[in-house]
């Protein structure tokens, strides 16, 4: 650890950003059931966008990246990019 930075437990790290941060992940329709088990069957080959909480929990599914980002803003979540 670097001097001046706090040590986080694994549980604290897992919940970092909860309720404040979210990210948009591009997924194929074939992978929807894994993140959104309640979703109806979808046509294969579709590109969709999942809004996920900082801990990876699913928030919403849409066919538009802009709609996912707008939903995050509507719920006062800051979106972050993952690389």
């Amino acid at each position: 650890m670097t001097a001046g930075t706090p040590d986080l437990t694994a549980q604290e790290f897992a919940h970092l950003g909860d309720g404040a941060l979210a990210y948009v992940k591009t997924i194929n329709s074939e992978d929807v059931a894994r993140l959104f088990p309640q979703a109806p069957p979808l046509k294969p080959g579709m590109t969709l966008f999942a809004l996920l909480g900082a801990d990876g929990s699913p928030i919403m599914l849409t066919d538009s990246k802009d709609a996912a980002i707008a939903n995050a803003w509507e719920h006062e979540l800051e979106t972050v990019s993952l690389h």
Side-chain angles (χ1 to χ4, degrees):
M1 258 297 124
T2 307
T5 58
D7 291 334
L8 296 176
T9 67
Q11 186 175 10
E12 289 171 330
F13 186 74
H15 293 286
L16 194 63
D18 276 358
L21 300 175
Y23 63 97
V24 177
K25 180 178 182 176
T26 305
I27 63 172
N28 296 320
S29 53
E30 294 85 355
D31 299 324
V32 168
R34 183 176 53 80
L35 287 173
F36 297 90
Q38 72 281 13
L42 298 172
K43 179 178 150 185
M46 295 172 61
T47 299
L48 301 165
F49 300 89
L51 179 65
L52 305 171
D55 65 352
S57 60
I59 298 172
M60 75 165 293
L61 181 68
T62 181
D63 62 352
S64 161
K65 183 176 181 179
D66 290 340
I69 292 170
N71 186 274
W73 290 345
E74 183 178 312
H75 291 94
E76 298 180 3
L77 296 168
E78 183 175 342
T79 54
V80 294
S81 296
L82 299 178
H83 300 278

